[in-house]
């Protein structure tokens, strides 16, 4: 795992901090022996992020990425700075004396040393990966490290960690392609790599051919210019569409290709191919929850709604709505939540003819009691958004939406109430802004109070009425 030399770890998990706690409280084990035995499982990350915005600069910068072997790893001391009021709010760091035997340069321009001595290498809790476990550094560890000279000419280490076999292979491929003398061959291999099975390698290949600096990618001509001049925009875009058409493309490559192409001025044929690819991918994920989760984690639908479907035809947006309706009819809660989150976002404005169809998705599929909180949250937020659009258009109270609040209130538990009240308050303020009938709105909200079946429900609606300065029934005005 990567760790900056000068960055102290804060607010560590208890599993990381327990050894320190025992040592500071006078435990039987020494600080050094406790930390030497601290080994716990954690999520694996890459040492070198080839997909990052800054990687093109790291390819040719003064700091070096090196492959090295740790020849010495001596624990020096532990530093701890308590911060009140809580013990675990403090900061602590382990200090090691490391010696690296340099094996080869990976990236960077500075002169390559044979050995690097790091008298005080600072870590947080034990943060070396070995077979997906975290532990302190040890002699013999084969590492990737990012090193550079300080103003005094001494080597310092910014990042260090033990790469997996998959990462070693990825870095070898990136290094080989980047250093290939024949730019034409390298460019063709980069184009082919956009659909690679290794998601990080695929994204790096796209970045190397991309011209999209405004999307956060580094269009560094010094690093990638010789490749980009060999592949014109039309060929690159055709490859991206090919990635989108491939159901086996990884989620990372798929979403990155979507980001790359969605801002282009697509021809009519390209726009149709892009739309059909998105429909196909969403259908493909309908029976594959893990694939959907990967897309959700990368905000695919947010990207599509904001940058593509916001300006698309009614027919294309209806295609997506029909797929989301299938998600809403699924037995899987995460599928239903996905539909509730995004269906309302397909509306372009209050006059959109799709609005009535979007509302039906919510009207006919209210959440059941006890379903996961974020499903309930997306449902009531989406429903309220539909109600806001209707009231903005008609200047009338959205009775059908309020009917759903009335139907579900008597069975709502504490979690459901939390998710229902906030969007309802937001809707009320939209009604005020649109000069909808306040007296009628207030009567509907007081009906909610009359329907409350539990003290918890009555308290929640009472608080809602008070927040909105709506007069309470006489028996509650004290």
């Amino acid at each position: 795992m990567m760790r900056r030399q000068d960055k102290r770890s804060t607010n560590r998990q208890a599993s990381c901090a327990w050894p320190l706690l025992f040592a500071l409280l006078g435990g039987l084990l020494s600080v050094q022996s406790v930390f030497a035995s601290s080994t716990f499982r954690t999520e694996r990350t890459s040492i070198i992020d080839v997909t990052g915005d800054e990687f093109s600069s790291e390819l040719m910068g003064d700091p070096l990425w090196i492959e090295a072997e740790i020849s010495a790893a001596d624990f020096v001391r532990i530093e701890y700075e308590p911060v009140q009021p809580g013990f675990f709010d403090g900061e602590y760091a382990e200090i090691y004396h490391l010696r690296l035997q340099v094996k080869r340069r990976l990236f960077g321009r500075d002169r390559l040393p044979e050995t690097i001595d790091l008298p005080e290498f600072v870590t947080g809790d034990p943060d070396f990966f070995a077979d997906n476990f975290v532990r302190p550094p040890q002699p013999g560890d084969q590492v990737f490290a990012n090193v550079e000279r300080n103003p005094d000419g001494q080597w310092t280490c910014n990042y260090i960690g033990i790469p997996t076999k998959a990462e070693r292979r990825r870095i070898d491929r990136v290094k080989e392609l980047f250093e290939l003398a024949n730019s034409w061959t390298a460019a063709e291999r980069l184009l082919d790599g956009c659909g690679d099975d290794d998601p990080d390698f695929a994204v790096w290949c796209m970045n190397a051919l991309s011209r999209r600096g405004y999307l956060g990618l580094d269009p560094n001509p010094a690093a990638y210019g010789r490749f980009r001049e060999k592949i014109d925009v039309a060929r690159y875009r055709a490859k991206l569409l090919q990635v989108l058409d491939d159901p086996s493309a990884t989620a990372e490559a798929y979403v990155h290709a979507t980001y790359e192409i969605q801002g282009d001025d697509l021809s009519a044929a390209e726009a149709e191919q892009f739309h059909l690819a998105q429909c196909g991918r969403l259908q493909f994920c309908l029976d594959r929850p893990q694939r959907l989760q990967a897309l959700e984690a990368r905000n695919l639908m947010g990207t599509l709604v904001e940058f593509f479907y916001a300006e698309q035809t009614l027919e294309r947006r209806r295609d997506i709505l029909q797929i989301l309706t299938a998600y809403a009819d699924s037995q899987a809660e995460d599928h239903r939540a996905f539909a509730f989150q995004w269906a309302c976002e397909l509306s372009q404005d209050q006059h959109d003819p799709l609005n009535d169809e979007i509302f039906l998705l919510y009207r006919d599929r209210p959440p059941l009691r006890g379903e996961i909180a974020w499903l309930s949250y997306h449902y009531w937020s989406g429903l309220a958004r539909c109600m806001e659009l209707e009231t903005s258009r008609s200047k009338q109270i959205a009775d059908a939406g309020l009917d759903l609040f009335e139907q579900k209130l008597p069975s709502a538990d504490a979690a459901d109430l939390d998710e229902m009240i906030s969007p309802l308050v937001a809707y009320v303020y939209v009604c005020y802004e649109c000069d909808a009938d306040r007296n009628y709105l207030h009567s509907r909200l007081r009906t909610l109070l009359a329907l409350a079946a539990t003290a918890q429900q009555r308290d929640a609606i009472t608080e809602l009425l008070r927040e909105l300065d709506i007069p309470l029934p006489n028996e509650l005005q004290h």
Side-chain angles (χ1 to χ4, degrees):
M1 183 176 180
M2 298 177 291
R3 194 71 68 185
R4 291 193 179 277
Q5 183 183 6
D6 59 352
K7 182 175 176 57
R8 301 286 176 83
S9 301
T10 58
N11 297 324
R12 295 296 180 190
Q13 297 177 1
S15 61
C16 308
W18 280 121
L20 175 61
L21 176 60
F22 290 134
L24 292 176
L25 292 179
L28 296 178
L29 298 174
S30 70
V31 172
Q32 183 171 353
S33 64
V34 168
F35 276 94
S37 64
S38 298
T39 303
F40 55 92
R41 197 169 186 87
T42 188
E43 183 180 354
R44 187 69 167 88
T45 60
S46 295
I47 308 305
I48 305 176
D49 182 10
V50 300
T51 70
D53 296 347
E54 73 284 352
F55 183 63
S56 61
S57 299
E58 294 179 2
L59 284 167
M60 304 183 69
D62 288 332
L64 290 174
W65 274 111
I66 60 171
E67 182 176 358
E69 178 179 331
I70 295 179
S71 57
D74 300 321
F75 178 83
V76 178
R77 66 182 182 278
I78 188 166
E79 293 184 354
Y80 176 71
E81 299 175 6
V83 177
Q84 296 301 323
F87 175 84
F88 291 112
D89 290 331
E91 299 181 355
Y92 73 95
E94 297 173 59
I95 314 298
Y96 286 87
H97 179 188
L98 297 184
R99 183 172 294 109
L100 306 180
Q101 189 70 36
V102 179
K103 301 175 70 173
R104 62 168 175 156
R105 179 199 313 270
L106 298 176
F107 311 111
R109 299 183 304 181
D110 205 343
R111 178 178 57 84
L112 191 67
E114 292 184 2
T115 61
I116 293 178
D117 197 61
L118 304 169
E120 292 201 346
F121 178 78
V122 181
T123 72
D125 39 66
D127 61 358
F128 260 62
F129 279 104
D131 298 325
N132 288 325
F133 283 85
V134 168
R135 59 162 172 74
Q138 297 175 1
D141 285 338
Q142 307 296 314
V143 299
F144 287 169
N146 185 258
V147 295
E148 64 179 325
R149 301 176 192 271
N150 64 20
D152 296 329
Q154 301 299 312
W155 286 101
T156 61
C157 185
N158 300 315
Y159 301 95
I160 192 168
I162 302 174
T164 61
K165 290 181 180 179
E167 182 175 7
R168 287 183 184 278
R169 180 173 180 271
R170 179 189 312 130
I171 294 304
D172 285 343
R173 297 174 72 195
V174 170
K175 181 176 174 62
E176 178 191 4
L177 263 184
F178 183 70
E179 295 177 354
L180 195 62
N182 189 321
S183 299
W184 287 100
T185 300
E188 291 295 331
R189 288 172 61 181
L190 284 168
L191 190 67
D192 184 62
C194 293
D196 197 82
D197 291 340
D198 180 336
D200 285 2
F201 183 77
V203 170
W204 177 72
C205 289
M206 292 185 217
N207 287 353
L209 297 176
S210 173
R211 279 79 164 172
R212 296 193 177 283
Y214 69 87
L215 283 180
L217 311 177
D218 187 350
N220 190 333
Y224 300 133
R226 70 187 182 102
F227 310 128
R228 290 172 179 158
E229 65 185 16
K230 304 298 189 294
I231 304 295
D232 62 34
V233 173
R235 284 194 67 200
Y236 177 53
R237 192 159 63 198
K239 181 63 180 181
L240 296 177
L241 287 168
Q242 182 182 333
V243 171
L244 295 181
D245 280 333
D246 182 4
S248 68
T250 65
E252 293 86 351
Y254 186 90
V255 173
H256 202 80
T258 295
Y259 269 98
E260 279 284 282
I261 204 171
Q262 47 76 23
D264 279 346
D265 293 327
L266 303 177
S267 67
E270 288 172 331
E272 181 66 8
Q273 185 180 357
F274 181 81
H275 167 64
L276 292 176
Q278 301 300 339
C279 290
R281 189 70 171 199
L282 291 174
Q283 289 278 18
F284 177 75
C285 293
L286 187 55
D287 298 322
R288 299 167 177 83
Q290 290 183 337
R291 290 292 191 108
L292 176 65
Q293 290 165 8
L295 294 182
E296 283 189 281
R298 290 158 185 86
N299 195 31
L300 174 70
M301 280 301 297
T303 301
L304 291 176
V305 167
E306 182 176 359
F307 294 107
F308 186 72
Y309 287 106
E311 304 296 333
Q312 287 302 304
T313 63
L314 174 64
E315 289 73 20
R316 285 179 178 159
R317 288 182 294 114
R318 181 174 283 132
D319 288 342
I320 297 296
L321 180 61
Q322 289 174 350
I323 296 172
L324 291 180
T325 300
Y327 275 84
D329 289 332
S330 169
Q331 296 298 313
E333 291 181 330
D334 56 345
H335 280 50
R336 297 179 64 211
F338 180 76
F340 295 150
Q341 179 179 6
W342 294 112
C344 62
E345 300 295 337
L346 291 172
S347 175
Q348 291 181 339
D349 57 42
Q350 66 265 34
H351 302 292
D352 192 330
L354 194 65
N355 287 349
D356 289 343
E357 297 172 46
I358 294 173
F359 174 73
L360 292 178
L361 182 147
Y362 294 93
R363 187 199 68 182
D364 297 339
R365 299 164 181 85
L368 303 176
R369 182 174 182 177
E371 290 191 300
I372 51 179
W374 51 280
L375 184 153
S376 183
Y377 167 78
H378 287 312
Y379 175 83
W380 294 109
S381 297
L383 175 64
R385 174 61 177 155
C386 292
M387 295 165 63
E388 291 168 8
L389 291 167
E390 170 60 21
T391 297
S392 296
R393 181 192 65 80
S394 67
K395 311 304 179 187
Q396 302 295 317
I397 304 302
D399 281 309
L402 289 175
D403 288 345
L404 288 166
F405 278 91
E406 290 181 359
Q407 291 170 19
K408 301 303 292 184
L409 176 68
S411 61
D413 58 19
D416 292 330
L417 286 170
D418 288 342
E419 309 304 346
M420 293 174 70
I421 296 299
S422 179
L424 183 59
V425 170
Y427 171 69
V428 169
Y429 283 117
V430 170
C431 292
Y432 289 170
E433 293 171 2
C434 294
D435 292 326
D437 188 337
R438 287 200 181 201
N439 290 332
Y440 178 63
L441 174 64
H442 291 176
S443 70
R444 292 296 310 259
L445 295 176
R446 281 193 290 268
T447 298
L448 287 175
L449 181 61
L451 291 171
T454 68
Q456 199 170 47
Q457 294 168 5
R458 284 190 293 274
D459 290 346
I461 301 303
T462 299
E463 182 62 29
L464 167 69
L465 297 178
R466 284 177 173 150
E467 179 180 344
L468 297 170
D469 293 325
I470 298 174
L472 297 173
N474 292 333
E475 64 270 20
L476 296 178
Q477 291 183 4
H478 53 75

